[in-house]
Amino acid sequence: MKLPSFDYQAPASLAEAVALLAAGDGSARPIAGGQSFLPVMAFRLAEPSLLVDLRNIPDLSGIKISDAGVRIGAMARWRDLLDDVRLAEAMPLLPAAIDHVAHYQIRNRGTVGGSLAHADPAAEMPTLALTCEAQIDVVGAKGERVLAAADLFTGALQTSLEPDEIIVAVRFPAWAKTKRWGFEEFSRRRGDFALAGVALCYDETEGRAANVRIGAISVADTPIRLKNAEAALEGRAVDAASIEAAMAAASGEVDPAGDIHASARYRKALVGTLLGRALESAAGRKAR
Amino acid sequence: MKTHAHTSNTYIGAHIERVEDYRFLRGEGQYLDDVSRDGQWHAAFVRSSVAHGRIRSVDASAALAMPGVHAVITAADIEGDIPTIPFRRPNPTIGPYAQPVIARDKVRYFGEPLAMVLADTPELAEDALAGVMVDIEALPAIIDRESAMADKILLFEQTGTNVPTMFNADKGDVDAAFASADYVIRDQFATQRQTALPMETRGLLAEWDAQTGRLSVSGAAKLPFFNRTTMAKMMNLPDEAVDYIELDVGGGFGARGEFYPEDFLVAFGARKFGHPVKWIEDRREHLMAIGHSREASCDVELAFKKDGTLVGMRGALYINIGAYVRPNGMTPVRNAAQFMSGPYRIPAIHLDAYACVTNKTPAGTYRGPGRYEGCFFIERLMDQAAGALGIDRLDIRRKNLLTHEEMPYPLATVLPSDGRADTQCDSGDHRVTFDTCVKESNWAEKAKLQGKLIDGRYQGIAIGCFIEGGASGPQENVRMLLEADGMVSLFAGSSAIGQGLETILAQIAADSLELPMERIRVFHGSTTYLKMGWGSYGSRATVMGGSAVLDASKKLLDLFRASAAKRLGVAPETLTIAEGVAKAADGRSVPLAEVAGDRLEVDGSFKNNTPTYTYGAAMAHVAVDPGTGHVDVVDYVVVDDVGRIINSMTLHGQVMGAAVQGFGSVFSEELVYNAEGQLLVGSLADYLVPLASDYPVVRCVSMESFPSPTNPLGAKGAGEGGIIPVGGVVANAVANALQDFGVQPKILPLSPSRVWELIDDARLRA
Ligand SMILES: Cc1cc2nc3c(=O)[nH]c(=O)nc-3n(C[C@H](O)[C@H](O)[C@H](O)COP(=O)(O)OP(=O)(O)OC[C@H]3O[C@@H](n4cnc5c(N)ncnc54)[C@H](O)[C@@H]3O)c2cc1C
């Protein structure tokens, strides 16, 4: 569990960083908070020749809130999200969910970009990005591109990013003040990765749910949307009957794996339970 | 009104902050990793990734060619038979099952050492592990006790069996007892494989001085003197040529400080190459290398009279001890058999306790070894029996609890004997701690909540009882020295494993010498301080070391009396000694510091082979979320009687820490293997120990109503009791909460997944 040897650079610009990543033998890797990747290296699951630290690159941090939505720089830390009172106002789902990420020390270092690039299906941010239909700005040797969150995650700890591509920011579309939302997850101890989790939002017009988006954590290789559960609610009042239907749909449409922490059967049921609780809190939360 | 801060005999029993904490809080602790030597090499171990197999070859040539690598030691470097690590409690049949320090022909568990790389840095040593090519012909792995006991695939072909020992615990006529019973309950239970998980992993620094022929081993813990003798024998050196040096130790809990294969290999490397060799175990290898424990199951029966009076217990216990019999690998097996009756009056007992070898990491002790397991089994049976007999759970226990009048009370005899075949509870009245626990936990109020669904969670309560058994002999030694500056130095054979030893021994010395604690300096745990000592295990340091301190203090005061008498020209017996001053009848006096030049020095010791039995009761109030299977410990009360409280603060630290450690056992810690015998737990993200905020409510009440007759302090070992009842009490509380579903937890841990499945299975059945 000792780190393998590697070179280290901390360039001052994005262009330089991309050039460094593109120049090497293909094993160079960006490093942000290091909270996921350093353990990976300590277990000798990755032995990059070069780490390109993104800390000195100016355009990567900061949270911008506008009519167009919320833009979060890749190097924004969990701590920054939790401390930002404007964000809590503009998009309350985000801090409510991020509050479940890891522990104090890790939240002071772990970053949004690192989490997206690490693509852990048990992490909160990938599912939030998918659920809220966020766009991800990326820069690489071939230039800039914008990826829909749905196109970023290709497998467990796998993304569609090229080795020389760097995530610059994640952009969440405008969030109506009246949007209803819920977030529930369950982990064995506070701060552990969730055994399962659910993030959701919907608009409410004339007592009926519209634009229902439900995402799930930790029940597949990637973050997923629960389309059947969404369909069970779309256009209906969120009440006991529709909640029950959505819960059953959610449990029915996931096919999670079992591991040393929880059986598949349990996870399947748990996602329904959590969806029910998230919907109850969404419906019960005072509309603003 | 008292005018000075200190009055004689006020330290023992007080709430005194730990003196060692000043050092720790300032970051001045010295752990093994803080120590380095010029020219030291770092060791890393190649460990088997195959659980069971025949070794075809181990080829280190590629590793030897890597930068910074000095040597690779394999079995081929050891001449003659490969030495085996020792047994601490030998019995006639375990000989063939001892663990060789390095695998030569066969590997028997995932993680078994195959080679040791020595390099300039730990990183380079780890790099080189990939350069050691190991070829192993895999054999089928035996991972559970059922396949072990089938004896179809053998770990040790020459013995013909996978059961090194079967212990019997016997008492009375069990057949007659069962024949006379009105009601018999029989059931099967299991506890999961765990490890003690000290925060500081193991570490060693071995230095060989060729000139003087001396070996020094830093990183000693728990048993420095026994390990020194073992090492000396293995290295063919006289005992006096080996020093074991104790630094600060980040926890032991029974696992750290036993003699392990790496201990020998690190020292062997240091001597062979003449370089100091340092090794710090990383967490991943810690989980596969240090002693495991607690993988136990049972099939037992309890026999009752209609009124709930226990008349007999019989059945079988099975302990999966892993691939070899390690130094204390048999302790949990024989303990489970002897202590399963707990504090209950059971006149007739017959238990067979099987030790089974499997292709898993060899087992040893973990806080409350065998006792936690046995307590879980019997407490579950007691609650189920109460239900079946229609007797209140408090009443069925009260009826069977041992009383003061029955002390000393003999437990079952365990054979083959490892030197402790017979033992007896020394003193106490179990009804007192039980009733105190009932009262403190507000049982009458809580009883109204049983099985109720409140705010979405089912409420449950339970109470259970335990005995601790500790403070074992044979002996402990100390040396006491009046220093030139008037301070008293105390050198103790006991070792510090985080339990506050320096504070406790200083309190006892200060009171018995009638000096302020600040005048006592405590040195401990290294073999350089004393000719012989024993160490800290089985909750013994306070009782054994503390009683040895009393002996030394008495002798030191005698010397002081003689010195002072000489100075004053009076007969020694005419002096009165109080608070560090010898006073003559005519009013002249000599303070202790004044005779410092006389170099007063004494040896003190305490010998005793009769263990003490701390005992008590614990109550758990849980709330179970039926949707997630999460169990919240709403309230937990533990009451114990420790004979005599030396320091209520460190005592409660022990009890509370043990209780929370027990919650880890009940809910989350598990060493999981796959069918091929590979350990699936590689980090603290997999091995879930309780976090500081997980169990906020643990209340401890300690009593000292019945001093132990076994030692002059009247104290009892108290480091383990807190963990013993947790499994049984919490599982019973969960059963109580889920009574509407008829859920009866029989297997630990009660992970959310398992609890939810128990509920869901019950729903599906209904
Ligand atoms: C004990 C523990 C518990 C945790 N619990 C949780 C939890 O409950 N929920 C959760 O979501 N996370 C959890 N984490 C992970 C934590 O949130 C990580 O910090 C985060 O996932 C990764 O962020 P980072 O900045 O540390 O990334 P790093 O570790 O620096 O990098 C991770 C990966 O992303 C790549 N990368 C980093 N930044 C970029 C970028 N801008 N563009 C392209 N690639 C990039 C790296 O090359 C690497 O492959 C936990 C971590 C620990 C140690």
Side-chain angles (χ1 to χ4, degrees):
Chain A
M1 291 180 70
K2 310 279 180 300
L3 293 179
S5 71
F6 56 87
D7 288 331
Y8 173 86
Q9 300 256 19
S13 76
L14 206 48
E16 251 179 287
V18 169
L20 282 167
L21 290 173
D25 58 4
S27 80
R29 293 285 285 267
I31 188 91
Q35 299 301 292
S36 293
F37 199 57
L38 292 183
V40 166
M41 287 171 65
F43 275 103
R44 305 279 175 131
L45 298 172
E47 302 199 13
S49 53
L50 169 70
L51 287 184
V52 179
D53 193 332
L54 306 180
R55 68 168 64 220
N56 293 335
I57 301 172
D59 5 335
L60 289 187
S61 49
I63 300 170
K64 292 198 184 92
I65 297 166
S66 67
D67 290 347
V70 173
R71 177 193 185 277
I72 304 177
M75 289 296 280
R77 304 164 308 154
W78 304 129
R79 168 64 42 222
D80 301 326
L81 271 63
L82 292 170
D83 285 351
D84 194 320
V85 286
R86 298 163 314 138
L87 182 66
E89 182 81 3
M91 207 177 158
L93 170 61
L94 289 186
I98 297 309
D99 194 41
H100 293 265
V101 173
H103 312 277
Y104 184 84
Q105 294 86 341
I106 294 159
R107 290 202 294 265
N108 285 344
R109 286 195 157 260
T111 66
V112 170
S115 181
L116 291 169
H118 191 58
D120 189 329
E124 285 78 1
M125 186 46 88
T127 291
L128 292 170
L130 181 75
T131 308
C132 302
E133 301 179 324
Q135 306 262 298
I136 291 148
D137 298 337
V138 169
V139 172
K142 292 204 191 101
E144 298 176 9
R145 61 181 180 130
V146 177
L147 283 168
D151 298 327
L152 179 65
F153 309 107
T154 55
L157 309 183
Q158 279 171 343
T159 66
S160 55
L161 293 178
E162 297 297 327
D164 58 27
E165 281 185 318
I166 293 172
I167 296 176
V168 174
V170 53
R171 284 182 287 111
F172 289 89
W175 175 278
K177 282 232 180 297
T178 53
K179 226 179 202 7
R180 291 194 171 269
W181 60 274
F183 184 87
E184 287 286 334
E185 71 168 49
F186 182 69
S187 58
R188 294 193 65 179
R189 299 171 305 187
R190 178 156 178 84
D192 283 343
F193 281 104
L195 297 180
V198 169
L200 65 87
C201 59
Y202 59 87
D203 297 312
E204 202 171 38
T205 39
E206 289 160 16
R208 288 170 193 281
N211 306 315
V212 182
R213 302 287 178 266
I214 304 173
I217 298 173
S218 238
V219 288
D221 276 357
T222 60
I224 55 166
R225 286 265 295 272
L226 301 179
K227 300 274 184 180
N228 294 351
E230 289 175 0
L233 290 162
E234 190 68 39
R236 295 180 58 182
V238 179
D239 56 19
S242 66
I243 290 177
E244 191 145 324
M247 287 168 67
S251 286
E253 70 186 293
V254 298
D255 185 17
D259 60 21
I260 64 169
H261 294 306
S263 66
R265 171 185 164 202
Y266 170 75
R267 280 205 162 91
K268 213 170 157 58
L270 182 61
V271 79
T273 298
L274 295 173
L275 175 60
R277 291 179 185 181
L279 282 169
E280 271 163 23
S281 78
R285 194 171 279 118
K286 216 169 138 275
R288 287 184 306 162
Chain B
M1 209 179 96
K2 295 196 184 83
T3 51
H4 45 68
H6 170 65
T7 317
S8 305
N9 256 319
T10 53
Y11 290 120
I12 293 179
H15 188 83
I16 290 179
E17 287 185 3
R18 298 177 2 139
V19 295
E20 42 277 79
D21 287 345
Y22 296 105
R23 178 167 86 243
F24 298 140
L25 293 172
R26 291 190 185 115
E28 291 165 0
Q30 277 274 309
Y31 296 89
L32 186 78
D33 206 23
D34 296 319
V35 180
S36 280
R37 300 284 185 255
D38 290 340
Q40 78 190 0
W41 291 354
H42 293 264
F45 290 91
V46 178
R47 296 179 181 278
S48 181
S49 57
V50 175
H52 194 196
R54 268 178 231 296
I55 302 171
R56 290 207 192 98
S57 64
V58 179
D59 175 4
S61 47
L64 284 166
M66 291 172 79
V69 175
H70 295 292
V72 177
I73 290 186
T74 67
D77 294 293
I78 294 176
E79 289 161 31
D81 288 343
I82 305 281
T84 54
I85 60 173
F87 300 124
R88 283 216 290 122
R89 296 170 80 172
N91 79 47
T93 54
I94 56 180
Y97 302 88
Q99 177 166 13
V101 294
I102 194 162
R104 175 177 279 169
D105 308 313
K106 227 182 149 183
V107 286
R108 295 188 176 86
Y109 66 94
F110 176 87
E112 183 164 2
L114 286 161
M116 178 175 74
V117 175
L118 296 171
D120 280 333
T121 67
E123 289 78 9
L124 292 171
E126 186 166 325
D127 288 350
L129 296 183
V132 179
M133 302 304 156
V134 178
D135 185 9
I136 295 176
E137 174 199 343
L139 298 168
I142 299 279
I143 65 160
D144 54 32
R145 69 107 178 151
E146 286 83 0
S147 32
M149 290 183 71
D151 279 342
K152 286 213 192 75
I153 294 154
L154 296 171
L155 270 73
F156 301 82
E157 288 83 358
Q158 75 277 21
T159 69
T161 174
N162 289 323
V163 180
T165 302
M166 195 258 284
F167 291 93
N168 300 130
D170 266 301
K171 186 178 185 180
D173 184 344
V174 83
D175 290 337
F178 273 76
S180 77
D182 298 322
Y183 168 73
V184 172
I185 182 165
R186 174 177 179 175
D187 215 333
Q188 298 80 37
F189 302 97
T191 52
Q192 82 278 17
R193 180 167 275 252
Q194 280 188 254
T195 188
L197 208 94
M199 248 7 233
E200 184 194 16
T201 57
R202 287 182 298 151
L204 295 161
L205 170 65
E207 297 165 82
W208 172 250
D209 184 337
Q211 229 117 62
T212 57
R214 290 186 76 78
L215 174 71
S216 154
V217 181
S218 301
K222 187 175 179 178
L223 293 161
F225 291 89
F226 176 86
N227 289 346
R228 182 260 296 261
T229 301
T230 300
M231 180 71 90
K233 216 178 278 156
M234 292 170 91
M235 301 289 279
N236 217 350
L237 293 167
D239 276 17
E240 309 76 61
V242 179
D243 294 332
Y244 259 65
I245 310 296
E246 188 197 76
L247 304 161
D248 283 322
V249 175
F253 309 115
R256 186 159 192 235
E258 290 291 342
F259 200 98
Y260 287 93
E262 297 87 354
D263 298 36
F264 172 80
L265 293 172
V266 166
F268 179 83
R271 181 159 82 173
K272 187 173 167 89
F273 300 107
H275 278 263
V277 174
K278 182 171 173 177
W279 171 63
I280 304 281
E281 185 183 48
D282 70 35
R283 187 61 71 185
R284 181 163 175 265
E285 79 181 325
H286 177 85
L287 289 165
M288 65 175 81
I290 200 168
H292 291 180
S293 209
R294 297 268 207 266
E295 186 172 358
S297 56
C298 74
D299 181 352
V300 266
E301 296 172 274
L302 290 182
F304 293 88
K305 288 285 183 198
K306 259 201 295 292
D307 67 356
T309 304
L310 265 165
V311 295
M313 170 166 74
R314 70 182 172 198
L317 309 174
Y318 308 94
I319 319 291
N320 181 333
I321 63 164
Y324 297 98
V325 177
R326 278 204 177 153
N328 57 4
M330 287 297 165
T331 305
V333 189
R334 50 92 56 227
N335 278 6
Q338 191 160 48
F339 300 119
M340 192 170 144
S341 55
Y344 301 116
R345 188 185 309 106
I346 309 184
I349 296 173
H350 179 88
L351 294 171
D352 296 329
Y354 297 84
C356 309
V357 288
T358 61
N359 295 115
K360 291 182 174 176
T361 297
T365 51
Y366 169 32
R367 203 174 200 173
R371 299 173 169 93
Y372 165 92
E373 297 91 312
C375 188
F376 170 64
F377 302 155
I378 195 168
E379 289 297 337
R380 287 294 294 118
L381 284 171
M382 290 296 278
D383 263 24
Q384 292 187 44
L389 287 164
I391 302 175
D392 182 80
R393 293 185 292 159
L394 300 185
D395 292 341
I396 199 169
R397 288 182 170 79
R398 281 200 186 105
K399 193 162 227 86
N400 294 293
L401 281 172
L402 296 172
T403 64
H404 178 47
E405 293 72 36
E406 294 163 277
M407 297 295 162
Y409 181 84
L411 300 177
T413 301
V414 172
L415 295 173
S417 174
D418 58 354
R420 312 249 177 87
D422 290 299
T423 186
Q424 46 191 29
C425 293
D426 54 340
S427 68
D429 195 318
H430 294 257
R431 295 167 306 188
V432 178
T433 43
F434 187 77
D435 288 339
T436 306
C437 187
V438 169
K439 194 165 144 266
E440 285 292 330
S441 59
N442 207 359
W443 182 272
E445 274 308 303
K446 284 192 159 76
K448 297 172 191 156
L449 305 175
Q450 300 179 77
K452 289 232 168 83
L453 184 63
I454 299 172
D455 291 337
R457 301 185 307 171
Y458 289 96
Q459 310 288 310
I461 57 171
I463 191 165
C465 306
F466 66 94
I467 54 172
E468 168 169 350
S472 48
Q475 188 168 335
E476 193 55 273
N477 298 340
V478 300
R479 185 158 63 86
M480 219 181 237
L481 176 67
L482 177 62
E483 304 277 8
D485 59 0
M487 299 276 287
V488 173
S489 291
L490 172 62
F491 301 91
S494 310
S495 44
I497 42 179
Q499 79 277 48
L501 181 78
E502 290 168 33
T503 309
I504 297 289
L505 295 187
Q507 282 179 260
I508 296 170
D511 270 0
S512 51
L513 292 168
E514 299 189 17
L515 292 176
M517 251 178 95
E518 296 71 31
R519 289 203 31 207
I520 317 289
R521 270 193 290 247
V522 179
F523 303 87
H524 51 79
S526 295
T527 58
T528 47
Y529 294 140
L530 291 169
K531 281 202 193 62
M532 189 58 196
W534 271 263
S536 294
Y537 50 91
S539 300
R540 72 193 294 280
T542 299
V543 172
M544 299 299 296
S547 296
V549 169
L550 289 185
D551 183 45
S553 295
K554 202 176 146 292
K555 290 177 176 160
L556 191 76
L557 289 180
D558 286 347
L559 289 188
F560 173 39
R561 179 184 295 275
S563 274
K566 217 183 214 167
R567 259 155 229 255
L568 296 169
V570 300
E573 57 281 4
T574 63
L575 293 176
T576 47
I577 296 188
E579 301 192 12
V581 179
K583 258 200 185 107
D586 58 12
R588 289 178 304 145
S589 65
V590 178
L592 185 63
E594 213 163 276
V595 304
D598 298 4
R599 277 197 69 81
L600 307 186
E601 180 170 356
V602 296
D603 289 319
S605 69
F606 181 65
K607 216 181 193 134
N608 172 26
N609 261 325
T610 324
T612 63
Y613 284 87
T614 281
Y615 61 91
M619 186 284 316
H621 172 191
V622 302
V624 185
D625 178 343
T628 62
H630 176 74
V631 180
D632 188 22
V633 179
V634 180
D635 191 12
Y636 190 83
V637 178
V638 51
V639 178
D640 59 359
D641 192 315
V642 300
R644 182 157 178 213
I645 298 167
I646 309 294
N647 183 336
S648 50
M649 195 174 187
T650 59
L651 173 63
H652 285 170
Q654 288 290 313
V655 177
M656 203 176 287
V660 173
Q661 209 169 22
F663 295 141
S665 303
V666 179
F667 294 120
S668 57
E669 297 176 27
E670 183 168 18
L671 292 164
V672 185
Y673 282 80
N674 67 11
E676 287 73 48
Q678 267 142 353
L679 181 60
L680 302 181
V681 172
S683 77
L684 292 182
D686 304 327
Y687 195 75
L688 307 181
V689 289
L691 305 179
S693 55
D694 285 351
Y695 301 101
V697 189
V698 176
R699 298 189 280 144
C700 313
V701 178
S702 294
M703 308 178 75
E704 43 185 358
S705 312
F706 296 92
S708 173
T710 68
N711 66 83
L713 284 165
K716 298 183 176 186
E720 301 170 86
I723 202 169
I724 294 169
V726 186
V729 173
V730 170
N732 281 341
V734 169
N736 182 248
L738 300 176
Q739 53 188 260
D740 283 358
F741 301 91
V743 162
Q744 295 291 354
K746 296 184 182 178
I747 299 175
L748 296 180
L750 297 177
S751 62
S753 182
R754 176 167 284 136
V755 171
W756 176 85
E757 276 164 35
L758 286 170
I759 299 170
D760 198 50
D761 287 345
R763 280 192 197 118
L764 295 174
R765 273 197 308 270

